[in-house]
Amino acid sequence: MNFQYDILKKRREELGISFQELSDKTGFSKSVLQRYEKGTTKKIPIDRIEIIAKALNIDPFSLYTFDQATTALEKNVNNKQLIPVLGTVRAGIPIEAVENIIDYEEISEDMARQGEFFALQIKGDSMEPKISEGDVVIVRKQSDVDSGNIAIVLVNGEEATIKKIQKFDGGINLIPSNPSYDVRTYTNDQIESLPVQILGKVVELRAKFA
């Protein structure tokens, strides 16, 4: 059974609420809400469903099938929270608004209190042998990290990459673990002009075994 997308439309129309009004109430864009209502987005984060349900004044569990509702309830009982696993992160798209959610990971309530988190599925082998393609890393959103930390970095609007950060007076090095790849060096001017943007600190690796 699937998520009951039709209930969103039915309830919104019952209340006579436009997409713009619902956007104002929830903070989600009209285009995102339209995709949710049409069912073109197959996985909607539980916290978003709760926000939309509150705006429509309905029980969030009424939007789930029985199995989904049970799963969501179990997550709450076990003091777990779900964060989205993203396949890609690109410039100009707030992490909260991305539509390339491929899965969800649980984090503890204690971890969730330490900041905002997302997960990212690794592509490529530049961080081998510790981090492999297909692994998932848990990332705390922050715009800066200490030298020596592993971070998710966006360069020149391209897809985000995972690298060890090494800072020096004139700029920054992005260091791969795999010796087959070169260190990428950016000056302070390049950091501003390209730009080179740190999206978050990698705080946990969840390796995926075949």
Side-chain angles (χ1 to χ4, degrees):
M1 298 177 69
N2 297 316
F3 178 80
Q4 301 180 82
Y5 300 96
D6 57 316
I7 293 180
L8 292 178
K9 180 178 181 180
K10 181 179 178 182
R11 182 58 177 168
R12 183 180 61 79
E13 292 178 343
E14 282 178 356
L15 297 176
I17 297 175
S18 67
F19 280 115
Q20 183 60 59
E21 290 170 323
L22 189 56
S23 175
D24 293 341
K25 286 175 175 286
T26 62
F28 307 139
S29 70
K30 289 193 297 181
S31 61
V32 166
L33 292 168
Q34 287 168 343
R35 287 196 290 272
Y36 287 172
E37 190 172 286
K38 291 177 181 178
T40 54
T41 298
K42 298 304 180 185
K43 290 186 177 181
I44 306 175
I46 289 174
D47 58 344
R48 287 193 165 207
I49 292 172
E50 291 174 346
I51 292 170
I52 294 169
K54 183 177 180 181
L56 296 175
N57 195 26
I58 55 175
D59 182 347
F61 288 119
S62 68
L63 299 173
Y64 295 93
T65 63
F66 175 79
D67 288 343
Q68 288 171 317
T70 301
T71 300
L73 183 58
E74 287 173 351
K75 304 303 182 189
N76 291 334
V77 169
N78 293 326
N79 293 320
K80 300 288 186 179
Q81 294 198 23
L82 293 179
I83 59 172
V85 178
L86 310 178
T88 58
V89 179
R90 294 184 182 277
I93 305 176
I95 289 168
E96 299 86 348
V98 297
E99 294 302 320
N100 61 318
I101 296 172
I102 58 176
D103 203 351
Y104 294 91
E105 289 283 335
E106 291 182 359
I107 62 171
S108 69
E109 198 172 63
D110 287 342
M111 178 181 281
R113 282 196 290 265
Q114 297 173 25
E116 295 182 71
F117 293 83
F118 67 97
L120 184 66
Q121 186 178 65
I122 300 303
K123 295 183 178 180
D125 60 355
S126 68
M127 295 301 285
E128 288 274 12
K130 184 176 182 179
I131 303 175
S132 302
E133 182 162 14
D135 287 349
V136 170
V137 290
I138 308 299
V139 184
R140 182 172 61 232
K141 289 193 285 184
Q142 52 191 77
S143 59
D144 194 16
V145 298
D146 294 333
S147 190
N149 289 158
I150 294 177
I152 304 300
V153 186
L154 198 65
V155 179
N156 195 27
E158 298 297 327
E159 185 176 330
T161 184
I162 178 171
K163 293 292 184 291
K164 182 178 179 180
I165 301 299
Q166 182 184 65
K167 297 180 178 179
F168 57 93
D169 287 343
I172 192 172
N173 288 326
L174 304 186
I175 305 175
S177 296
N178 188 335
S180 298
Y181 289 81
D182 295 330
V183 174
R184 297 162 65 181
T185 299
Y186 299 95
T187 66
N188 288 331
D189 286 343
Q190 289 174 317
I191 290 172
E192 293 295 326
S193 63
L194 286 174
V196 179
Q197 179 186 6
I198 292 174
L199 300 180
K201 177 183 176 182
V202 174
V203 298
E204 186 177 329
L205 167 65
R206 298 187 179 179
K208 302 301 179 182
F209 299 98

Coordinates of all heavy atoms in Angstrom, one line a residue, residues 19 52 64 66 68 111-112 124 149 163 166 209:
F19 N -2.6 26.6 -2.6 CA -1.3 26.2 -2.4 C -0.4 27.3 -1.7 O 0.5 27.0 -0.9 CB -0.6 25.7 -3.7 CG -1.0 24.4 -4.1 CD1 -1.8 24.1 -5.2 CD2 -0.6 23.3 -3.4 CE1 -2.2 22.9 -5.6 CE2 -1.0 22.0 -3.7 CZ -1.8 21.8 -4.9
I52 N 2.6 19.5 7.7 CA 1.5 19.7 6.7 C 0.2 19.3 7.4 O -0.9 20.0 7.3 CB 1.7 18.8 5.4 CG1 2.9 19.4 4.7 CG2 0.4 18.9 4.6 CD1 3.3 18.5 3.5
Y64 N -1.0 8.0 6.5 CA -0.2 6.8 6.3 C -1.1 5.6 6.1 O -2.3 5.6 6.5 CB 0.6 6.5 7.6 CG 1.7 7.5 7.9 CD1 1.4 8.5 8.8 CD2 3.0 7.4 7.4 CE1 2.4 9.4 9.2 CE2 4.0 8.3 7.7 CZ 3.7 9.3 8.6 OH 4.6 10.2 9.0
F66 N -1.6 1.6 7.2 CA -1.4 1.1 8.5 C 0.1 0.8 8.8 O 0.6 1.1 9.9 CB -2.2 -0.2 8.7 CG -2.0 -1.0 10.0 CD1 -2.6 -0.5 11.1 CD2 -1.2 -2.1 10.0 CE1 -2.4 -1.2 12.3 CE2 -1.0 -2.7 11.2 CZ -1.6 -2.3 12.4
Q68 N 2.8 2.0 7.5 CA 3.6 3.2 7.7 C 3.3 3.9 9.0 O 4.2 4.4 9.7 CB 3.3 4.2 6.5 CG 3.8 3.8 5.2 CD 3.3 4.6 4.1 OE1 2.1 5.0 4.0 NE2 4.2 5.0 3.2
M111 N 21.4 12.8 19.6 CA 22.1 13.4 18.5 C 21.3 14.5 17.9 O 21.9 15.5 17.5 CB 22.4 12.3 17.4 CG 23.1 12.8 16.2 SD 23.5 11.6 14.9 CE 25.0 10.8 15.6
A112 N 20.0 14.3 17.7 CA 19.2 15.3 17.1 C 19.2 16.6 17.8 O 19.1 17.7 17.2 CB 17.8 14.8 17.0
G124 N 31.7 7.3 -5.7 CA 33.1 7.3 -6.0 C 33.9 6.7 -4.9 O 33.4 6.2 -3.9
N149 N 39.0 17.7 10.1 CA 37.7 17.1 10.1 C 37.4 16.6 8.7 O 37.9 17.2 7.7 CB 36.6 18.1 10.5 CG 36.6 18.4 12.0 OD1 36.1 19.4 12.4 ND2 37.1 17.5 12.8
K163 N 35.6 15.1 1.7 CA 37.0 15.2 1.8 C 37.4 15.6 3.2 O 36.7 16.2 3.9 CB 37.6 16.3 0.8 CG 37.4 15.9 -0.7 CD 38.2 14.7 -1.1 CE 38.1 14.5 -2.6 NZ 36.8 14.0 -3.0
Q166 N 41.9 20.5 5.3 CA 43.2 21.0 5.9 C 43.3 22.5 5.6 O 43.4 22.9 4.4 CB 44.4 20.3 5.2 CG 45.7 20.7 5.8 CD 46.9 20.0 5.1 OE1 47.1 20.2 3.9 NE2 47.6 19.1 5.8
F209 N 27.2 -3.1 3.5 CA 27.9 -4.4 3.1 C 27.0 -5.1 2.0 O 25.8 -5.2 2.2 CB 28.1 -5.3 4.3 CG 29.0 -4.7 5.3 CD1 28.4 -4.1 6.4 CD2 30.4 -4.7 5.2 CE1 29.2 -3.5 7.4 CE2 31.2 -4.1 6.1 CZ 30.6 -3.5 7.2

